[in-house]
Amino acid sequence: MPDRIRMGLVGGGPGSFIGPVHRIAAELDGEIALVAGAFSRDAQRSAEAGRGYGIAPERAYPSIEAMLDAEAARADGIQFVTIATPNFHHLPAACAAMRAGIAVMSDKPMTATLDQARELAAVLAANPVPYGLTYTYSGYPLVREMRERIATGAIGAVRKVVVEYNQGWLAGAGEGKQAEWRLDPARSGEGGCIADIGVHAFHLAEFVTGLRVSRINADLGTVVQGRALDDDCQMFLRFEGGARGLLSASQVMTGEGNDLAIRIYGETGALRWSQENPNRFEWLKGEGGMEVVRAGDPGLSAIAMRGIRLPGGHPEGLLEALANLYRDFARDMRGEGGSLVPGIEDGLRGMALVAAAVAASRAESGWVDLKV
Amino acid sequence: MPDRIRMGLVGGGPGSFIGPVHRIAAELDGEIALVAGAFSRDAQRSAEAGRGYGIAPERAYPSIEAMLDAEAARADGIQFVTIATPNFHHLPAACAAMRAGIAVMSDKPMTATLDQARELAAVLAANPVPYGLTYTYSGYPLVREMRERIATGAIGAVRKVVVEYNQGWLAGAGEGKQAEWRLDPARSGEGGCIADIGVHAFHLAEFVTGLRVSRINADLGTVVQGRALDDDCQMFLRFEGGARGLLSASQVMTGEGNDLAIRIYGETGALRWSQENPNRFEWLKGEGGMEVVRAGDPGLSAIAMRGIRLPGGHPEGLLEALANLYRDFARDMRGEGGSLVPGIEDGLRGMALVAAAVAASRAESGWVDLKV
Amino acid sequence: MPDRIRMGLVGGGPGSFIGPVHRIAAELDGEIALVAGAFSRDAQRSAEAGRGYGIAPERAYPSIEAMLDAEAARADGIQFVTIATPNFHHLPAACAAMRAGIAVMSDKPMTATLDQARELAAVLAANPVPYGLTYTYSGYPLVREMRERIATGAIGAVRKVVVEYNQGWLAGAGEGKQAEWRLDPARSGEGGCIADIGVHAFHLAEFVTGLRVSRINADLGTVVQGRALDDDCQMFLRFEGGARGLLSASQVMTGEGNDLAIRIYGETGALRWSQENPNRFEWLKGEGGMEVVRAGDPGLSAIAMRGIRLPGGHPEGLLEALANLYRDFARDMRGEGGSLVPGIEDGLRGMALVAAAVAASRAESGWVDLKV
Amino acid sequence: MPDRIRMGLVGGGPGSFIGPVHRIAAELDGEIALVAGAFSRDAQRSAEAGRGYGIAPERAYPSIEAMLDAEAARADGIQFVTIATPNFHHLPAACAAMRAGIAVMSDKPMTATLDQARELAAVLAANPVPYGLTYTYSGYPLVREMRERIATGAIGAVRKVVVEYNQGWLAGAGEGKQAEWRLDPARSGEGGCIADIGVHAFHLAEFVTGLRVSRINADLGTVVQGRALDDDCQMFLRFEGGARGLLSASQVMTGEGNDLAIRIYGETGALRWSQENPNRFEWLKGEGGMEVVRAGDPGLSAIAMRGIRLPGGHPEGLLEALANLYRDFARDMRGEGGSLVPGIEDGLRGMALVAAAVAASRAESGWVDLKV
C-alpha cells in the first residue's frame, strides 16, 4: 500500500452527522487519511472537532482559506478536501480549493443553484483537478453490477424506470440541526426535497441505465404547512431514446427511513434493488423466472467485486458504499483510471433537474426539456 | 343458510379464464349458485360451456336476451347476472338485465367509454336493481381493514398515496386470447392498460382512503410498437382536500406478475399493502416503529373479520377476495345492508378517469379536472 | 364435467372450524358436492348444521351408521365420507364406511394410536375402497413442484432436510374448543403437538424428498404446565440412504401463526418453501445464484400446473391446496390414476412416528428405529 | 478523542481474509490503530503484509515473540494483540502475550481443545489483562437490543430458543486456504463445523437470552465423504431453568451464505433476527401483532444506540458489528466498564460445547451435561 492520500475536511464540526461518516469511509480501506480540517468558522469549535478526529491541533483551521494556505506550506500537506457543509457553501469552498490546485470531493447537490453549478464547472475547467461528488448510492457494489449488466444487455433496451426515495423524517415539524438548514432556501438553495434526495434518485437512474433524461413533467409540493421549500416530489421522466420513467422523492412519508429503490424494465428482463437491503437485487427474466443476485454470488463483474470486502452473506452497508467512492477518488488522485466516482457532469445535471423541476412545477407547465 | 341466490353468467365460455373464476368465487360460501348462462353467441359453444359448469343443458343459452326471457318464465329463474365479457359488451348486457329487473354483477371497467357509462347509469336509475362491479381487490379483508383504520384516524389526515399496478404479461408481442381483445379499441374501448388495470389502482386508492381524486396529470404511453392503445401509464393525482398521489400502472414491466400495491401516508402514520402477499399490511407509526398487521391478529375490525375464513397463518387469496364481493352482493340482493361491493358511482369514476387520462395525455395538457 | 361425486361429512357440526373448510375445498372445483352429513351425535345439532350447509333436512343424520344405512338406500346416496372429527373417532368412522363399501377421506392423524392405525389398515385391506388423508400441505402446487424437481435431480442427492412447523396458539392457557380436545389424551391420542402438526411436517419431508425416515432421536416437551401431552417437539431424523434431517414442531411459539416451512439441501442445490407465502419457493444453486420459482412461471411441471387456477401473481391459498387433494381424490374415485392424495401408508408412517417419538423421548433413549 | 490504542496483529498475512477485516473494524471508530504485526512466520511475507497494512517496516515481525520483545522496548509499543491465526495457534499466542502483560483480542474458538482452553484460562488468571473473543455477531446493535429487551422482560420467561447457522461453502469439495486448515484436525482441533460456526450460534443463544445451556443431545455428521471433521451439526439444548433449545449449524447447506438466525420464544412474546438482514428484528407479541424493530427507531436502549452510527434506513453491516466489539474492548483497555465483549468464560463454554458434542455424538450417548 502506498502512502495514504491526505485529506482535509471542510465542515463536519462538533455535532455534525456527516463529518464522521466521511472520516470513516475515507479511511476505511487504508488509502486515505484525514489530517486536517476547517471544521467550523469558530476557531474554538474547529479545534474541538480536530481533537475529536484525532488530528494535530495546529491542523484544525477556522476557514478553508486558512487551511489551504497553511497546508500548502507543509511537505505533508493535504492533497484534497472533502466538502461537507450546507449546500450554499459548496461553491466557494470548491472554488477556493480548485484555485489552490487542490482536488475536491464534495457532498451533493453540487451547489445551491444551477448558476452556481455552472460557475463551479467553469472554475474547474480553468483549474483542472480531480473532482468527485458523493452520490453515495452509486458506490454500492450491486448498483454497479446492475449498471454493468444493463450495459451488456442483460435486460435488453431499457423501457421504463421507476425510482423512488422515500423518507419520513420531515413528516413532523422537522426540528433539529439537519432539518434546519435543509429547509432554509438561503442555505439549501431553491430545492428542498428535490435537491436533498431527488437528485440522488435522479443520479441513480441515469447511472444504472447509462441513459440521460431529456424531458420531465414535475409535481413538487409542500405538504407540511409553513415551509418555504418542497418536501414531496413526483416526476415523469423521458430518457433519450424514448424510455419512460417515474421519479418519486419525499421526506414526509411518515415512518419511512431511507428507502431509495429502483426498478428498471427492459425488453427482455428487469432489475429491482432497494437500498435498505443493498447486498442483493432481483433479476426478472422475460422468459420467466426471477433470479436473486447476491453479493457473494459467482459471476459478478470485476467492477462489483472490487467494492466487496466480505464473503457472501456478510452484510456491508452505507459506509462501505461511500468508501467505494473514496477508493475510486483515490484512483483519480493517483491517475489510475477506472473510477466511477460521479463528477462535474453529474453535478450539473442534478442542478439542472432541480431548476427545471422547481420552475415547471410552480408554473404547472407540464413537460419541459432538461437542459444543462 | 337460506336458499342459494341464483346466478346466470354472461360470457365465460370455453377457454375463458374469468368465467370459472366467477363460478368458484360466487359459489365459494354457499350463498349463490350458478344455474344458467349465456356463455357464447355460438349455441354449440354455449352448450359445451354449460356442461363444463355442470348446469342443466336447457339453461345454456346463446344470448343474454334468450336467457333473460327463458329464465323469467321459471319459478327458479336467475336472480342476477354476472357479466364476464369483453368491455364493449358490458353496456348492452347490463341494460338488458336491468330492464328485465334482473340485478347485475359486472366485470370492470364498467363500459368501454365514459358515454356508455353515463348511459348505463341512466338506465340503472330508471330500473333500480342491485348493481355491483368486481373491483376484486377491494374484497381483500386487509384492504378493508386499512379502509377502516384510515376512516377511524389510525394515520391521521391522508397526505400522499402511492398506488402501482405492475404487470409484465404484455411486455412481449402479447399474443393469446386475453391480449387480443384488450388491445383492440373496438372491444376494449379507448383505454388499454389504463382501462384494464389502471382503474383497479384508482379504485383501490379511493376505496382505501375514502377520498376522491379531483385532478390528474397523466402520461400514458405505448411501449410496444404497433399497439393502438396504451400499455404503460403514470399519473399524478390530487385528491379533494389536497392530498397528493401517484398512480403507476403498466403491463410491460417485464417479469412482473400482478403486483398491485398501495401505500398511504398520513400525518401520523402510514400503511403499506401488496396484493401478492395479501394477508398482511405494514403500519408505520409516526412516533416510530412498524407493526405488521396479519390476517389472524386480534383487534381486526368486524368488516375485515367477516371476510376471513381461516385462522392466522393459513393464506387466503384472490378467489376468496372475489368471494367476499359476492357475499356483499348477496347482502345487497337480500336487502341486508352493510355491503361494500363497488357500484355505479365507482364505475362512473373509473370511466371518467380513463377518458380524462387518455385525452389529457394525448394533448400533453398537464393538469386536468376529473369530472364524472 | 361429469356429475358431481357425492360426499357425506362426519363431524363438522355447529361451531366447527374444519367442517366448512372441507365443504368449500371439496366443492371448489365443481367435481364434488356435499349432500349429507352426520354432523353431530345430537340430532338437533346435526340438523342445524345441515341447514347451515344447505343440504336436504332428511340427510342430516345423528350418526355415521345412520347415514350409511339411509344413504345406501338412495340412488343418489353418498359415494364417500369425509371424516372431520377428533382423532379418537377416526378409526370407528373409517371402518364403518369402508365396511359399507364407501370411500373415505380422513383428517390426519389417521387415528389416535399406532395400534388403531394398524387396525384401520387391516380393515381397509379387507374392504378396498379409495382412502385419502388430508395432509393438506402436500396439495400446494409448489410443494408438488419441489417434489418433481427433486425426483428429477434438480438438487442432486438429498443430504439434509430441515422442516419446521411453528405455531403459537397454545402458548397461553389454550382455552377454546379446538384446544380442548387436542390436549385431551382420550380424544387426541398419545401425541399432542407431535400428532397434531408434527405429522404434517414429517409427511411433508417424506413427500417432497421421496425418502423415508428410518431412525429418529426425539425430544418432546410440555412447556405449559399442567398439560398431559407434548406441546413442543424437536427431532433428529435419519433418512434411508443416510440423509440427515431436523424436525421442529411447536404450538407454544408465542406469536407464530401457521409457519410450516421446509428446506431441502442436496449435493448440487437446495429448495426452500414456506407455507405462509406458498406460491413460490427458492432454488439455491450449488454453482451460485438463487432463483425464485413462482406459481405463474413457465416451466412448471404438469403436476404443479394442474393445481394452479390463476395466472401468476394472483395468490391462491390453503383452501385451494385442500381442493387439490379433493381433486386428486376425485381421480381416485373415478379410477383415473395420477392422484397424489396421501393414503394409508402415509397414515401408518405418521402414527409410527408419534408412537416412536413419544416412547423414545420419555425414555431418553436417544436414537430409535422408525418402524411401521 | 484520546490517543489511539496501539494494536499488534498476529496472523493476517498475505492472502488472509480475516486480517484486513480486523484492521478495518479495529480502526473504524478512530480509537485503535494497527501499528505492528507478526503476520507470518516467514519474515519476507510478514514484511510484505506490513507494507500492505501501511505500518512501519521495522514493526513487521516474524513471530509474536519477536514482536512482544521489540515492542516492549518502545515508548509507543503495542498495547494489545489481536490473534487471527488458525485455532491451534490461539493458545501459545495468547499465553505469550498475557505473560508479557499485553492484552489479547482473539478469534474464536478460544483454542483447539477444551484442555487448551482451561490452560489459557489458568494463564490469564495468573496474568490478568483484558481478554476478548470475537464472537462478532454479538456486536450487532439489534442483537444487543434483543438481549436488553429479554433481560427487561419484553417476552417474559424464555421457553424455547431456535438458533441456526446455515452455510454452504463446504458443500463441494471445499478447496482453498480457508477450507484447508478448518478441515484439518491438527490445526482446527477436534471440532469442524461445530467449532467454526456452531460456537457462534451457541454463544449468540446464551448472549441474547442471558441463560446458560446445561445439557445437550448432539448429532454431528460428516456429509462430504473423506473429511476428518464434522460439517453438519444439530443439537437439542436444555437451558438452566428448563428452557428448551434447538441448534443447527451446517457448512454443507448448498447455496446458503452466512445465514445465522435466532428466534427466542418467551411466555408473552418472541423475537426473531437474521444476520443477513441485521438492522431489524421482529417482535411477536403474545396478545397478537408483530412489531418490526428497526435500527433507527426511537426507544432503543443505550446499549444498542452506542453501536449505531447512522440514521434509520442506512444499513450497517458486519464490519461495524466487529467494530463495536473493538470499541468495547477499548473500553476494557481504558478500564471504563460497560463492555459487552465476550471473554474467557464464553471461550471456555464454547470449547466445552465442542468437546461434549463431539464425544456425545460419536458415542450416540443421547443427553449429556455441559460442563466447563
Side-chain angles (χ1 to χ4, degrees):
Chain A
M1 183 175 291
D3 279 350
R4 299 194 180 188
I5 298 168
R6 298 176 301 278
M7 163 175 133
L9 184 58
V10 184
S16 159
F17 149 64
I18 200 67
V21 166
H22 278 292
R23 204 275 306 155
I24 292 174
E27 295 192 340
L28 194 97
D29 292 300
E31 303 185 25
I32 293 168
L34 171 65
V35 298
F39 305 108
S40 170
R41 296 231 161 235
D42 178 317
Q44 203 85 336
R45 290 171 61 78
S46 192
E48 180 191 335
R51 276 193 300 279
Y53 288 116
I55 68 166
E58 70 277 12
R59 298 180 85 173
Y61 305 92
S63 72
I64 182 172
E65 293 77 14
M67 177 167 69
L68 292 167
D69 280 354
E71 292 287 319
R74 299 177 65 115
D76 64 349
I78 57 171
Q79 295 164 285
F80 78 95
V81 292
T82 286
I83 302 175
T85 64
N87 305 345
F88 78 107
H89 202 61
H90 291 183
L91 176 68
C95 291
M98 295 187 292
R99 288 183 173 126
I102 292 294
V104 173
M105 185 75 154
S106 173
D107 270 354
K108 45 49 58 188
M110 188 155 78
T111 51
T113 67
L114 177 55
D115 281 346
Q116 288 184 3
R118 290 174 179 143
E119 185 181 336
L120 193 154
V123 173
L124 178 61
N127 301 273
V129 292
Y131 178 88
L133 263 175
T134 55
Y135 282 119
T136 305
Y137 305 107
S138 64
Y140 275 113
L142 291 200
V143 165
R144 293 173 165 202
E145 179 69 18
M146 291 194 294
R147 174 185 161 97
E148 284 292 298
R149 296 209 178 185
I150 288 172
T152 53
I155 63 169
V158 170
R159 290 170 159 183
K160 170 126 184 185
V161 179
V162 181
V163 63
E164 48 188 318
Y165 200 146
N166 307 310
Q167 292 187 334
W169 67 290
L170 293 178
E175 286 157 5
K177 183 176 179 181
Q178 295 302 322
E180 189 198 338
W181 73 257
R182 280 184 173 78
L183 295 171
D184 174 8
R187 283 176 284 176
S188 183
E190 61 189 333
C193 172
I194 181 67
D196 195 27
I197 62 172
V199 294
H200 271 301
F202 173 77
H203 180 262
L204 186 64
E206 291 199 339
F207 179 81
V208 169
T209 61
L211 299 176
R212 292 192 164 188
V213 171
S214 55
R215 300 178 75 208
I216 66 166
N217 182 343
D219 176 26
L220 274 53
T222 302
V223 168
V224 176
Q225 294 192 336
R227 285 185 181 155
L229 295 171
D230 63 284
D231 53 18
D232 183 90
C233 324
Q234 38 200 21
M235 211 177 294
F236 308 142
L237 309 176
R238 201 72 84 246
F239 292 85
E240 290 170 0
R244 298 163 56 79
L246 191 57
L247 184 154
S248 172
S250 179
Q251 297 181 307
V252 294
M253 285 179 156
T254 308
E256 298 285 1
N258 193 47
D259 182 26
L260 172 64
I262 190 167
R263 291 173 281 148
I264 309 102
Y265 298 91
E267 279 185 5
T268 61
L271 303 178
R272 304 192 295 205
W273 176 83
S274 168
Q275 193 269 155
E276 294 198 353
N277 200 5
N279 297 297
R280 56 190 286 161
F281 62 80
E282 293 168 335
W283 179 19
L284 298 159
K285 299 177 181 179
E287 71 270 27
M290 178 170 93
E291 186 176 323
V292 179
V293 178
R294 302 170 297 175
D297 286 344
L300 296 187
S301 64
I303 209 87
M305 287 307 291
R306 82 178 193 219
I308 298 176
R309 294 160 188 79
L310 300 174
H314 297 74
E316 297 191 65
L318 185 96
L319 293 170
E320 290 83 358
L322 183 55
N324 288 338
L325 290 197
Y326 272 105
R327 288 172 85 176
D328 270 6
F329 191 70
R331 286 172 171 260
D332 286 340
M333 294 292 292
R334 294 188 298 257
E336 287 176 7
S339 164
L340 284 176
V341 71
I344 195 76
E345 192 63 27
D346 303 283
L348 278 165
R349 294 188 60 72
M351 294 315 300
L353 178 83
V354 173
V358 168
S361 178
R362 198 171 292 150
E364 291 206 356
S365 44
W367 288 96
V368 295
D369 288 344
L370 184 63
K371 290 180 190 151
V372 173
Chain B
M1 185 175 292
D3 280 349
R4 297 194 181 190
I5 298 168
R6 298 177 300 278
M7 163 175 134
L9 184 59
V10 184
S16 158
F17 149 65
I18 200 69
V21 167
H22 278 293
R23 204 274 305 153
I24 292 174
E27 295 192 340
L28 194 99
D29 292 300
E31 302 184 27
I32 292 168
L34 171 64
V35 297
F39 305 108
S40 170
R41 295 234 160 236
D42 177 318
Q44 203 84 337
R45 290 172 60 78
S46 192
E48 180 191 335
R51 276 192 301 279
Y53 289 116
I55 69 166
E58 71 277 11
R59 299 180 85 173
Y61 305 93
S63 71
I64 183 172
E65 293 77 13
M67 177 166 70
L68 291 168
D69 281 354
E71 292 287 320
R74 299 177 65 114
D76 64 349
I78 58 171
Q79 295 164 285
F80 78 96
V81 293
T82 286
I83 302 175
T85 65
N87 305 345
F88 77 105
H89 202 63
H90 291 183
L91 175 69
C95 290
M98 295 186 294
R99 288 182 173 126
I102 293 294
V104 173
M105 186 74 152
S106 173
D107 270 353
K108 45 50 58 190
M110 187 153 80
T111 51
T113 65
L114 177 55
D115 280 347
Q116 288 184 4
R118 289 175 179 142
E119 184 181 337
L120 193 154
V123 174
L124 179 61
N127 302 273
V129 293
Y131 178 88
L133 263 174
T134 56
Y135 283 118
T136 306
Y137 306 106
S138 65
Y140 275 113
L142 291 200
V143 166
R144 294 174 165 202
E145 180 70 18
M146 291 194 294
R147 175 185 160 98
E148 284 292 296
R149 295 208 180 186
I150 289 172
T152 52
I155 62 169
V158 171
R159 289 170 160 183
K160 171 127 184 185
V161 179
V162 181
V163 62
E164 49 188 320
Y165 200 146
N166 307 311
Q167 291 187 335
W169 68 290
L170 292 178
E175 287 157 4
K177 183 175 178 182
Q178 294 304 321
E180 189 198 338
W181 74 256
R182 281 184 172 79
L183 296 170
D184 174 9
R187 284 177 284 177
S188 185
E190 62 189 333
C193 171
I194 181 69
D196 194 28
I197 62 173
V199 294
H200 271 303
F202 173 77
H203 180 263
L204 185 64
E206 291 200 340
F207 179 81
V208 168
T209 62
L211 299 176
R212 293 192 164 188
V213 171
S214 56
R215 300 179 74 209
I216 64 166
N217 181 343
D219 175 26
L220 274 52
T222 303
V223 167
V224 176
Q225 293 193 335
R227 284 184 182 155
L229 296 172
D230 63 283
D231 53 18
D232 183 88
C233 324
Q234 39 201 21
M235 211 177 293
F236 308 142
L237 309 176
R238 202 71 85 245
F239 292 85
E240 290 170 0
R244 300 162 55 80
L246 191 57
L247 184 154
S248 172
S250 180
Q251 297 181 307
V252 294
M253 286 179 157
T254 309
E256 297 284 2
N258 193 47
D259 182 26
L260 172 65
I262 191 167
R263 291 173 283 148
I264 309 102
Y265 298 91
E267 281 186 2
T268 61
L271 303 179
R272 304 193 295 204
W273 177 83
S274 168
Q275 192 269 154
E276 295 197 353
N277 199 5
N279 296 298
R280 55 190 286 160
F281 63 80
E282 293 168 336
W283 178 19
L284 297 159
K285 299 179 181 177
E287 71 270 25
M290 178 170 93
E291 187 176 322
V292 178
V293 179
R294 301 170 298 175
D297 286 344
L300 296 187
S301 65
I303 209 88
M305 287 308 292
R306 82 177 192 219
I308 297 175
R309 293 160 190 80
L310 301 174
H314 297 74
E316 297 191 65
L318 185 98
L319 293 170
E320 290 82 357
L322 183 55
N324 288 339
L325 290 196
Y326 272 105
R327 289 173 84 175
D328 271 5
F329 191 69
R331 286 173 173 260
D332 286 339
M333 293 293 291
R334 294 189 298 257
E336 287 176 8
S339 164
L340 283 176
V341 72
I344 196 74
E345 192 63 24
D346 303 283
L348 279 165
R349 294 188 61 71
M351 294 315 299
L353 178 83
V354 172
V358 168
S361 178
R362 198 172 292 152
E364 291 206 354
S365 43
W367 288 96
V368 295
D369 288 345
L370 183 65
K371 289 181 189 150
V372 171
Chain C
M1 184 174 291
D3 281 349
R4 298 195 180 188
I5 298 169
R6 298 177 299 278
M7 164 176 131
L9 183 58
V10 184
S16 159
F17 150 63
I18 200 67
V21 166
H22 279 291
R23 204 274 305 153
I24 291 174
E27 295 192 340
L28 193 98
D29 292 300
E31 303 185 26
I32 293 168
L34 171 64
V35 297
F39 305 107
S40 170
R41 296 234 160 236
D42 176 319
Q44 203 84 336
R45 292 171 60 78
S46 191
E48 180 191 337
R51 274 193 301 278
Y53 289 115
I55 69 167
E58 70 276 14
R59 297 178 84 172
Y61 305 93
S63 71
I64 183 171
E65 292 77 13
M67 176 166 70
L68 290 168
D69 280 354
E71 292 287 320
R74 299 177 66 112
D76 64 351
I78 58 171
Q79 295 164 286
F80 78 95
V81 292
T82 286
I83 302 175
T85 65
N87 305 344
F88 77 107
H89 202 61
H90 291 183
L91 176 67
C95 291
M98 296 187 292
R99 286 182 174 126
I102 293 293
V104 173
M105 186 74 153
S106 173
D107 271 353
K108 45 49 55 189
M110 187 153 80
T111 52
T113 65
L114 177 56
D115 281 347
Q116 288 183 3
R118 290 173 179 145
E119 185 181 336
L120 193 154
V123 173
L124 178 61
N127 302 273
V129 291
Y131 178 88
L133 263 176
T134 56
Y135 282 119
T136 305
Y137 306 106
S138 64
Y140 275 113
L142 290 199
V143 165
R144 292 173 167 203
E145 180 69 19
M146 291 195 293
R147 174 186 161 99
E148 283 292 297
R149 295 210 178 184
I150 290 173
T152 53
I155 62 169
V158 172
R159 288 170 161 183
K160 170 124 184 187
V161 179
V162 180
V163 62
E164 47 187 321
Y165 201 146
N166 308 310
Q167 292 186 335
W169 68 290
L170 292 178
E175 285 158 6
K177 184 175 178 182
Q178 295 302 323
E180 189 198 338
W181 73 257
R182 280 184 172 78
L183 296 170
D184 174 7
R187 283 176 286 176
S188 183
E190 62 190 332
C193 172
I194 181 70
D196 194 27
I197 62 172
V199 294
H200 271 301
F202 173 77
H203 179 263
L204 185 64
E206 291 200 339
F207 179 81
V208 169
T209 62
L211 298 176
R212 294 194 163 186
V213 171
S214 56
R215 301 179 73 208
I216 65 166
N217 182 344
D219 176 27
L220 275 52
T222 302
V223 167
V224 176
Q225 293 193 337
R227 285 182 182 156
L229 296 172
D230 64 283
D231 52 20
D232 182 271
C233 323
Q234 38 200 21
M235 212 177 292
F236 308 142
L237 309 176
R238 202 70 86 245
F239 292 84
E240 290 170 0
R244 298 163 56 80
L246 191 57
L247 184 155
S248 172
S250 178
Q251 298 180 307
V252 294
M253 284 178 157
T254 308
E256 297 284 2
N258 193 46
D259 182 25
L260 172 64
I262 190 165
R263 290 174 283 149
I264 310 101
Y265 297 92
E267 279 185 4
T268 61
L271 303 178
R272 305 193 294 203
W273 177 83
S274 168
Q275 193 272 154
E276 295 198 354
N277 199 6
N279 297 297
R280 56 189 287 161
F281 62 80
E282 294 167 335
W283 178 19
L284 298 159
K285 298 177 181 179
E287 72 269 24
M290 177 170 92
E291 186 176 324
V292 178
V293 179
R294 301 169 298 176
D297 287 344
L300 296 187
S301 65
I303 210 88
M305 289 307 293
R306 81 175 195 221
I308 297 176
R309 294 159 191 80
L310 301 174
H314 298 74
E316 298 191 64
L318 186 98
L319 293 170
E320 290 83 358
L322 182 55
N324 288 339
L325 290 195
Y326 271 105
R327 288 172 86 176
D328 270 6
F329 192 69
R331 286 171 173 263
D332 287 339
M333 293 293 292
R334 295 190 297 258
E336 286 175 7
S339 163
L340 283 175
V341 71
I344 196 73
E345 192 64 25
D346 302 283
L348 279 165
R349 293 189 60 72
M351 295 314 300
L353 178 84
V354 173
V358 169
S361 178
R362 196 172 292 150
E364 292 206 355
S365 42
W367 288 94
V368 296
D369 290 344
L370 183 64
K371 290 181 190 151
V372 173
Chain D
M1 186 175 289
D3 281 347
R4 297 195 182 188
I5 298 169
R6 298 176 301 277
M7 164 176 132
L9 184 58
V10 184
S16 159
F17 149 64
I18 200 68
V21 167
H22 278 292
R23 203 275 304 155
I24 292 174
E27 294 192 341
L28 194 97
D29 292 300
E31 302 185 25
I32 293 169
L34 171 64
V35 296
F39 305 107
S40 170
R41 295 233 160 236
D42 177 318
Q44 203 85 338
R45 292 172 59 78
S46 192
E48 181 191 336
R51 276 192 301 278
Y53 289 116
I55 69 166
E58 70 276 13
R59 299 179 85 172
Y61 305 93
S63 72
I64 184 173
E65 293 78 13
M67 176 166 70
L68 291 167
D69 280 355
E71 292 287 320
R74 300 177 66 114
D76 63 350
I78 59 171
Q79 294 165 286
F80 77 96
V81 293
T82 285
I83 302 174
T85 64
N87 305 344
F88 77 106
H89 202 63
H90 291 183
L91 176 68
C95 289
M98 295 187 293
R99 285 180 174 129
I102 292 294
V104 173
M105 186 75 153
S106 173
D107 271 353
K108 45 49 58 189
M110 188 154 79
T111 52
T113 66
L114 178 54
D115 280 348
Q116 288 183 4
R118 289 174 179 144
E119 185 180 336
L120 194 154
V123 173
L124 178 61
N127 301 273
V129 292
Y131 178 89
L133 262 175
T134 55
Y135 282 118
T136 306
Y137 306 105
S138 64
Y140 274 113
L142 291 200
V143 165
R144 293 174 166 200
E145 180 70 19
M146 290 194 294
R147 175 186 159 98
E148 284 292 298
R149 295 210 180 184
I150 290 172
T152 52
I155 61 168
V158 171
R159 288 170 161 183
K160 171 126 184 186
V161 179
V162 180
V163 62
E164 48 188 320
Y165 201 147
N166 306 312
Q167 292 186 336
W169 67 290
L170 292 178
E175 286 157 4
K177 184 175 177 182
Q178 295 303 322
E180 188 198 338
W181 74 256
R182 280 184 172 80
L183 295 170
D184 174 8
R187 284 176 285 175
S188 183
E190 63 189 332
C193 171
I194 181 70
D196 194 28
I197 62 172
V199 294
H200 271 303
F202 173 76
H203 180 262
L204 185 64
E206 292 200 340
F207 179 80
V208 169
T209 61
L211 298 176
R212 294 193 162 187
V213 172
S214 55
R215 300 179 74 208
I216 65 167
N217 182 344
D219 176 27
L220 274 52
T222 303
V223 167
V224 176
Q225 292 193 338
R227 284 184 181 155
L229 295 172
D230 64 284
D231 53 19
D232 183 272
C233 324
Q234 38 201 22
M235 213 178 292
F236 308 143
L237 309 175
R238 201 71 86 245
F239 293 83
E240 291 170 359
R244 298 163 57 81
L246 191 57
L247 184 155
S248 172
S250 178
Q251 298 181 308
V252 293
M253 285 179 157
T254 308
E256 297 284 3
N258 193 47
D259 182 25
L260 172 64
I262 191 166
R263 291 174 281 148
I264 310 102
Y265 298 92
E267 280 185 2
T268 61
L271 303 178
R272 305 193 294 204
W273 177 83
S274 168
Q275 193 270 154
E276 295 197 352
N277 200 5
N279 296 298
R280 55 191 287 161
F281 62 80
E282 293 167 335
W283 178 19
L284 298 159
K285 299 178 180 179
E287 71 269 24
M290 177 170 91
E291 187 177 325
V292 179
V293 178
R294 302 170 298 176
D297 287 344
L300 297 187
S301 65
I303 210 88
M305 288 307 292
R306 83 175 194 221
I308 297 176
R309 292 160 191 80
L310 301 174
H314 297 74
E316 298 190 65
L318 186 96
L319 293 170
E320 290 83 357
L322 182 56
N324 288 339
L325 290 196
Y326 272 105
R327 288 173 86 176
D328 270 6
F329 191 69
R331 287 173 173 260
D332 286 341
M333 292 293 291
R334 295 189 297 257
E336 288 176 8
S339 163
L340 283 176
V341 71
I344 196 73
E345 191 64 25
D346 303 282
L348 279 166
R349 293 189 60 72
M351 295 313 300
L353 178 83
V354 173
V358 169
S361 178
R362 196 171 292 151
E364 292 206 355
S365 42
W367 288 95
V368 295
D369 289 344
L370 183 64
K371 289 181 189 151
V372 172

